[in-house]
Amino acid sequence: MALVTPVDDPGDPRLDDFRDLTTADRRPDRPGGKGLVIAEGVVVVRRLLASPYPVR
């Protein structure tokens, strides 16, 4: 089971990877892009967890 950690400050550095994901520098198809994807929904998250892809 996952551990939920509350985040009270939007400036929290743990959110750095997810902040401004719409900018071109975060996209996997752009030079320097990190290729991050946010998975939402029970079915999608279950499939992600069962996949070989790393989860952050």
Side-chain angles (χ1 to χ4, degrees):
M1 182 149 290
L3 173 66
V4 176
T5 304
V7 176
D8 299 324
D9 178 11
D12 188 317
R14 294 175 292 177
L15 300 176
D16 288 349
D17 285 341
F18 306 100
R19 196 174 289 110
D20 301 323
L21 278 175
T22 58
T23 60
D25 63 323
R26 303 286 189 208
R27 292 177 44 183
D29 60 338
R30 299 293 174 98
K34 294 183 178 182
L36 296 173
V37 174
I38 294 177
E40 299 179 81
V42 174
V43 174
V44 174
V45 171
R46 283 184 180 154
R47 289 185 69 183
L48 172 62
L49 294 174
S51 78
Y53 298 104
V55 178
R56 291 186 66 176

